[in-house]
Amino acid sequence: MLKNITPKDYDKWYRLGIPKVSDNGSWIGYKLDYKKAQDTLIIRQTQGQKRYVFPGGTRCSFIGKDRLSYKDTQNTLQLVDLDTGKSEKLPGFTQITQSENKRYLILYKKQERELIIRNLITGRSNTYDKVYDFKYSKASEMVSIAINRSKGNELNLLHLNNLDHIEHIFTNHPRRIEKIDWNEDGSQLVYMLEAKKGTKDSLDSGILGYYNVKEEKPRFLDLKTAEGFPKEYVLAMDSQLPFRISKNGKRVFFVYKRKTPLMSNDIPEVWKADDPYIYKKMDYQMNWENTNMIGMWDIESNRFIKVTDTKFPKAVINAAHNFALVYNPATYEPYPRANPPIDFYLKNLKTGQMRLLLKGHPNSSKSIFLSPSGNYLVYFKENQWWYYNLKKDRHINLNQKFKIIRKEPLSYNSANKSLPPGWGEGEKTIYMYDEFDLWKVPLGRGKPIRITNGRNKGIRYKLITKPEIEPESKGSLGIYKNNQHLLFYLDTEDKMNYGYAIKKPNEVPKEITFKESYMFRFWQNSSKDGSVFAYLEENNNVPPRVMLYSAKTESLDTVFQGNPHYNQYKHGTSKKVYYTNRYGKKLSGILRYPVDYNKDSLHPMVVYVYETQRQYFHQYKNPGMYNGVGFNAANLVNKGYFVFLPDIEYKIGEPGFSAADCIVSGTKAAINSAAINPNKVALVGHSFGGYETLFTITQTDLFTTAVAGAGIGNYPSEYLYIADKSRLNFAMFEDYQLRMGKPLFEDYQGYLDNSPVYHAKNVSTPLLIWSGKEDFHVNYYQSISFHLALKRMNKKNTLLLYPNETHALSNPKNQKDLSLRIQQWLAYYLMDSSKIDWMSK
């Protein structure tokens, strides 16, 4: 007999982690992540019966075809031979790398500074002590190691095919080696030597080093004496701008910064209206003087060349490392709208010459991309994608190419939603999307070729295979090879059907699965050749399960059903409820039924609001008390509530009114569709949903009670607020989620009309408000001020403020407390339960 899920059962549920597949497709791994109990790591064969369970295992990584590393309960690295099952404990080791030829393991102890290279054929190990950094080159099968000895630092080369010989680049050097990098073919090595830090060395800026393996002679560039290098700067490390050598081995790119940041001593602080940014950012940047700069060492001429400077402080360098796109994000600042335009200049890194490439281009990280060769770029302008040939200085509108097929060019609302996934082989084509399908578009003459055929069925295809030649940086796109397996994620506009498809080389795409289940979209988790891949699938009454597909056998199997105990318990059903807003737009919401639904009895309902929620129809929710907003639909349906998730359609300039309209229309439709008590309905929301909740209860008395977390009560004050202590809020109202479409002073009355506090006198709904006292995303004083407004008018409301919490609660103790208090609040107003002490005090 099926049971109801009670709070005592919550801890049985775990989160099923995204599966990993080994490079050769022979093994799959996944983790069971519990809230309280010990996590479990499971590894099993994809074709076979071998299975390993590692209690407490985390951070697993497949090494080659038959090895696995993971961290155990003591945070100790374990190395497992998956063929034999033999496990080796590696205390102190932090890193394991397998050589490209599969014959060696490179193991490293960071704290002990010990490097071990193990020959997997002979079993012999070579140990190197006092190693504080190393870099392995797959192309040349060499390892460079930085060592600190009593007499100084040394940089050595180890040849994996002859470990008895150590090649010394230099020894007994007084400077520490900060960073090492190989070129693409492993024939050249570059490194950074730190600047001296003593008072006598205030002019020192650090040294760059270069070593050609064939020449066996190091070269150096001392930045202290390098012509053109600013004396007040020093070598620096920056994860966003990595130290690297060009593919041809002729240029070295590095980051440098001011030795001592400039500081403002303004008392009082001087905030100027025409400053590009607010005072805090202006004070930190000091007109870009404190920004990390990019420099280049031209090895052949032994020259230092500035890539960026205070006039053009940002750059995207092409993969050929001969050109850079440089720009200044503040050119058009102060700019109140989102993504202020910028001017892109093309800089020749050999000559230093610059020319304007794009003027007034939208400032978005996803609106301009370089090709891997560095010869081309694509950019998004006026709702269309363009292609630019650097050598020929030619701009071509790619969307216009579709005019041959569609009789009109493609047009997109945003770069983000239409982002090309990558280039074709040889960079002669580029892959692009229309509303449904993927196309291969020639850069020269010729028609676009449709790769998928989703339009006829209303199915949207999105490529999830990573390019075989991956991009070097965020500012470039990778290359898809013609012989790659291409995997696609499929869905529909109504979010009722999901699936996957595969395209084998020289074949048309074939659906693997497509049905009414939710399948989470993530970058392909597959074998190296893409022939084996895994994903998670779930339904609203069946927890996630691991699915495995093999292109070789064309088989799709369930590898593991997560939380298998689910079938011992009752699960409510879900259905779509349809309604229209005041403009006649047909909308839908998700109605989740209580597990003990009786059509002859009336049940209470909780309405949870936040923009569009249709995507949650098939999603399973683990019961539990630990989440950042205190709301869990699984808990509620097991306690006898309906839960309704309406979709909301907005009219710009009327976010509050359009939300209230949809919420009320949807709620009434839900009440009429099932045995729901119209006098026992609650409204709940967080963040923008918190705002929607506050506003809606000023417009209707439909709801018995309401709960609003971290919501905006006053639009004008939030418009003039510095969000997250660093960001002007103008664009959020004018261009984004808060949907006013105009500046405050062009529609002040509109901002007031859409402010819950402006209508607070209409509130008759008992209200629970909550916020974190460190919430600077939505100013927590918004919650306080709405509470005070109702307090002044003697209207029922309670405010919960959690110290040391931000926009959503992160402390498990507070998460449980909030969940419990919301449940108690709802039980009192909707279930006629007794009032709890904290509600009465």
Side-chain angles (χ1 to χ4, degrees):
M1 184 174 178
L2 296 180
K3 303 176 288 185
N4 285 73
I5 300 173
T6 68
K8 292 181 180 179
D9 300 312
Y10 291 170
D11 291 339
K12 294 178 183 178
W13 267 259
Y14 52 78
R15 185 181 66 85
L16 182 58
I18 293 174
K20 291 185 176 182
V21 178
S22 63
D23 280 353
N24 65 350
S26 297
W27 298 90
I28 184 172
Y30 43 90
K31 194 179 84 165
L32 317 184
D33 187 359
Y34 291 88
K35 284 293 183 182
K36 287 190 173 181
Q38 189 180 63
D39 295 343
T40 303
L41 175 64
I42 300 174
I43 307 295
R44 58 162 291 174
Q45 284 181 312
T46 56
Q47 302 290 328
Q49 301 302 313
K50 283 186 180 180
R51 180 174 180 268
Y52 299 101
V53 177
F54 304 109
T58 60
R59 298 173 64 183
C60 77
S61 178
F62 290 105
I63 302 172
K65 65 178 183 178
D66 55 9
R67 285 181 175 81
L68 173 87
S69 69
Y70 74 94
K71 289 290 186 75
D72 64 17
T73 53
Q74 280 75 46
N75 202 33
T76 298
L77 202 61
Q78 295 271 3
L79 180 63
V80 182
D81 186 320
L82 295 173
D83 280 345
T84 65
K86 183 180 178 181
S87 181
E88 179 183 1
K89 202 167 188 175
L90 300 171
F93 284 91
T94 54
Q95 190 173 341
I96 301 177
T97 305
Q98 185 173 37
S99 65
E100 188 72 4
N101 63 15
K102 316 299 182 189
R103 294 181 57 190
Y104 298 92
L105 281 183
I106 304 167
L107 305 101
Y108 184 58
K109 289 184 179 181
K110 187 174 183 178
Q111 190 169 352
E112 290 84 351
R113 297 186 174 185
E114 181 179 89
L115 185 78
I116 296 176
I117 298 180
R118 180 184 298 175
N119 188 314
L120 297 173
I121 308 299
T122 65
R124 177 186 173 187
S125 293
N126 290 60
T127 302
Y128 308 88
D129 62 353
K130 299 183 179 180
V131 176
Y132 59 86
D133 196 9
F134 74 96
K135 189 79 171 185
Y136 165 63
S137 168
K138 291 182 180 180
S140 62
E141 294 285 17
M142 288 189 287
V143 183
S144 56
I145 57 175
I147 297 175
N148 179 255
R149 302 197 188 280
S150 57
K151 293 183 179 180
N153 296 276
E154 59 185 66
L155 183 61
N156 299 327
L157 286 187
L158 306 175
H159 299 254
L160 293 184
N161 59 2
N162 184 13
L163 289 172
D164 293 328
H165 172 69
I166 298 177
E167 184 176 339
H168 299 287
I169 297 177
F170 59 76
T171 59
N172 303 332
H173 202 290
R175 297 176 187 258
R176 178 183 171 85
I177 302 159
E178 291 284 359
K179 198 74 177 174
I180 308 170
D181 189 44
W182 287 95
N183 74 328
E184 193 173 65
D185 66 9
S187 64
Q188 297 161 88
L189 181 75
V190 291
Y191 43 91
M192 289 167 47
L193 299 175
E194 69 172 354
K196 295 178 181 179
K197 297 176 181 177
T199 55
K200 296 180 179 180
D201 304 303
S202 60
L203 297 178
D204 196 87
S205 296
I207 296 175
L208 297 171
Y210 165 85
Y211 184 77
N212 187 305
V213 176
K214 293 180 180 179
E215 294 177 359
E216 297 186 0
K217 183 179 180 180
R219 301 187 205 175
F220 298 98
L221 179 68
D222 189 339
L223 295 176
K224 180 175 66 175
T225 58
E227 183 180 349
F229 187 84
K231 306 306 178 186
E232 65 274 18
Y233 283 75
V234 65
L235 275 175
M237 288 191 286
D238 188 323
S239 59
Q240 300 299 313
L241 304 166
F243 175 67
R244 64 181 184 267
I245 184 172
S246 63
K247 290 182 178 180
N248 62 11
K250 295 181 179 181
R251 298 181 176 95
V252 179
F253 295 87
F254 60 95
V255 172
Y256 59 99
K257 64 179 182 181
R258 292 192 71 91
K259 295 173 183 175
T260 304
L262 296 181
M263 302 290 289
S264 171
N265 296 315
D266 288 349
I267 300 177
E269 297 176 358
V270 180
W271 293 48
K272 298 178 182 177
D274 57 353
D275 280 341
Y277 304 110
I278 58 174
Y279 180 84
K280 183 177 180 179
K281 194 170 182 179
M282 290 293 297
D283 185 50
Y284 169 74
Q285 289 182 341
M286 298 298 290
N287 296 317
W288 303 106
E289 291 284 351
N290 290 337
T291 303
N292 285 359
M293 299 296 175
I294 303 174
M296 187 186 81
W297 174 23
D298 186 289
I299 295 172
E300 290 183 332
S301 63
N302 203 37
R303 290 187 305 130
F304 160 75
I305 297 172
K306 288 182 179 180
V307 178
T308 62
D309 52 28
T310 55
K311 188 175 180 181
F312 296 100
K314 302 293 181 180
V316 179
I317 303 168
N318 71 347
H321 302 101
N322 56 354
F323 284 95
L325 293 174
V326 297
Y327 61 98
N328 188 330
T331 300
Y332 293 88
E333 296 279 12
Y335 189 83
R337 307 302 293 264
N339 298 327
I342 51 178
D343 296 339
F344 278 107
Y345 288 80
L346 194 63
K347 185 172 185 176
N348 186 312
L349 295 180
K350 185 174 183 179
T351 65
Q353 292 181 332
M354 292 172 48
R355 59 184 173 86
L356 180 63
L357 179 65
L358 297 171
K359 186 172 181 59
H361 189 76
N363 182 7
S364 170
S365 61
K366 294 184 177 180
S367 67
I368 187 165
F369 294 93
L370 290 156
S371 70
S373 69
N375 295 325
Y376 316 105
L377 64 84
V378 289
Y379 59 92
F380 190 76
K381 180 182 178 182
E382 297 174 350
N383 296 332
Q384 298 187 333
W385 284 99
W386 293 70
Y387 150 76
Y388 175 69
N389 187 315
L390 274 71
K391 291 182 177 179
K392 296 182 179 180
D393 189 24
R394 180 184 300 169
H395 297 262
I396 296 173
N397 187 320
L398 293 171
N399 287 47
Q400 288 289 338
K401 287 179 172 288
F402 286 87
K403 198 171 182 180
I404 305 171
I405 299 167
R406 296 165 50 102
K407 297 183 180 179
E408 61 180 8
L410 282 179
S411 182
Y412 304 110
N413 292 327
S414 72
N416 188 32
K417 292 183 179 180
S418 61
L419 179 67
W423 303 84
E425 192 167 341
E427 297 182 11
K428 296 179 180 179
T429 57
I430 190 168
Y431 288 95
M432 293 178 65
Y433 292 111
D434 66 11
E435 302 92 330
F436 294 94
D437 292 304
L438 180 72
W439 296 74
K440 198 172 186 178
V441 182
L443 299 181
R445 294 182 178 179
K447 297 180 181 179
I449 300 170
R450 185 157 62 179
I451 305 299
T452 62
N453 191 20
R455 178 177 292 276
N456 295 341
K457 299 178 182 179
I459 301 174
R460 300 184 299 193
Y461 281 72
K462 291 295 179 182
L463 185 60
I464 57 171
T465 300
K466 290 184 178 179
E468 187 165 316
I469 300 176
E470 294 195 39
E472 274 198 354
S473 65
K474 292 181 180 179
S476 59
L477 299 174
I479 292 179
Y480 288 94
K481 291 292 191 71
N482 294 333
N483 61 354
Q484 272 190 267
H485 287 81
L486 300 181
L487 287 165
F488 297 89
Y489 179 78
L490 316 179
D491 72 354
T492 53
E493 175 66 26
D494 63 4
K495 302 294 183 181
M496 289 298 289
N497 291 270
Y498 295 87
Y500 288 95
I502 187 169
K503 181 188 181 304
K504 298 178 182 179
N506 303 316
E507 296 183 16
V508 297
K510 180 180 180 181
E511 284 185 10
I512 296 169
T513 181
F514 186 69
K515 58 183 178 179
E516 291 191 359
S517 293
Y518 178 70
M519 301 168 204
F520 183 69
R521 176 184 173 185
F522 50 85
W523 277 106
Q524 161 199 344
N525 197 353
S526 73
S527 57
K528 197 169 185 178
D529 65 1
S531 63
V532 178
F533 87 104
Y535 62 91
L536 296 180
E537 180 181 333
E538 64 192 85
N539 298 88
N540 55 53
N541 56 2
V542 181
R545 51 202 173 271
V546 178
M547 306 297 294
L548 186 73
Y549 175 77
S550 170
K552 295 176 182 177
T553 61
E554 296 190 345
S555 60
L556 178 63
D557 300 300
T558 301
V559 173
F560 178 78
Q561 173 60 63
N563 293 297
H565 51 269
Y566 84 95
N567 57 20
Q568 302 171 21
Y569 296 90
K570 298 175 184 177
H571 285 75
T573 60
S574 296
K575 77 171 188 179
K576 280 288 189 80
V577 172
Y578 295 94
Y579 53 97
T580 57
N581 65 8
R582 60 182 171 178
Y583 300 107
K585 174 76 172 181
K586 186 177 181 180
L587 301 169
S588 68
I590 303 166
L591 185 63
R592 303 213 188 280
Y593 280 61
V595 297
D596 289 320
Y597 174 63
N598 181 351
K599 64 183 178 63
D600 296 322
S601 300
L602 293 179
H603 302 262
M605 179 171 71
V606 176
V607 180
Y608 187 81
V609 294
Y610 190 92
E611 300 194 341
T612 299
Q613 301 182 90
R614 68 178 72 108
Q615 65 272 22
Y616 300 128
F617 187 88
H618 293 300
Q619 292 187 31
Y620 184 87
K621 182 70 177 178
N622 284 351
M625 301 294 283
Y626 300 96
N627 68 76
V629 300
F631 173 82
N632 185 299
N635 294 1
L636 293 173
V637 296
N638 276 280
K639 290 180 177 293
Y641 299 93
F642 275 91
V643 174
F644 182 54
L645 311 173
D647 282 352
I648 298 172
E649 182 87 4
Y650 299 94
K651 182 178 180 181
I652 300 301
E654 298 182 6
F657 292 104
S658 52
D661 171 42
C662 295
I663 291 167
V664 171
S665 296
T667 300
K668 288 180 177 179
I671 291 171
N672 292 331
S673 71
I676 297 169
N677 189 337
N679 299 315
K680 297 292 183 181
V681 180
L683 182 61
V684 180
H686 167 256
S687 191
F688 193 60
Y691 159 73
E692 293 170 326
T693 298
L694 293 176
F695 191 89
T696 299
I697 62 172
T698 71
Q699 304 298 305
T700 180
D701 58 2
L702 176 65
F703 299 97
T704 314
T705 188
V707 181
I712 297 172
N714 187 321
Y715 255 37
S717 67
E718 190 71 8
Y719 179 88
L720 300 173
Y721 173 63
I722 299 175
D724 302 312
K725 298 184 178 181
S726 61
R727 175 176 51 81
L728 293 173
N729 235 6
F730 304 153
M732 285 298 292
F733 285 84
E734 297 174 30
D735 298 305
Y736 290 134
Q737 187 181 42
L738 303 181
R739 296 179 171 91
M740 287 305 297
K742 294 179 180 179
L744 171 65
F745 302 102
E746 290 182 17
D747 189 16
Y748 206 107
Q749 188 60 48
Y751 276 74
L752 290 175
D753 289 340
N754 285 276
S755 296
V757 73
Y758 191 62
H759 309 281
K761 66 180 181 180
N762 300 331
V763 174
S764 61
T765 306
L767 175 65
L768 176 64
I769 311 171
W770 67 268
S771 182
K773 288 189 73 174
E774 296 296 317
D775 186 357
F776 300 106
H777 184 66
V778 170
N779 187 353
Y780 74 96
Y781 265 89
Q782 290 282 339
S783 295
I784 293 175
S785 63
F786 200 81
H787 162 71
L788 294 178
L790 298 185
K791 180 182 178 72
R792 178 64 181 84
M793 293 182 285
N794 297 314
K795 295 178 181 289
K796 290 182 181 179
N797 83 104
T798 298
L799 172 64
L800 305 176
L801 290 177
Y802 287 89
N804 304 313
E805 292 285 6
T806 56
H807 194 53
L809 306 190
S810 58
N811 185 319
K813 180 180 177 181
N814 292 335
Q815 290 179 343
K816 184 175 181 180
D817 180 85
L818 177 61
S819 295
L820 183 60
R821 289 178 190 269
I822 291 177
Q823 285 185 14
Q824 291 168 344
W825 184 273
L826 295 175
Y828 174 72
Y829 284 101
L830 303 187
M831 293 283 198
D832 298 323
S833 297
S834 300
K835 184 175 281 190
I836 308 301
D837 287 346
W838 67 269
M839 298 166 62
S840 302
K841 292 178 180 178

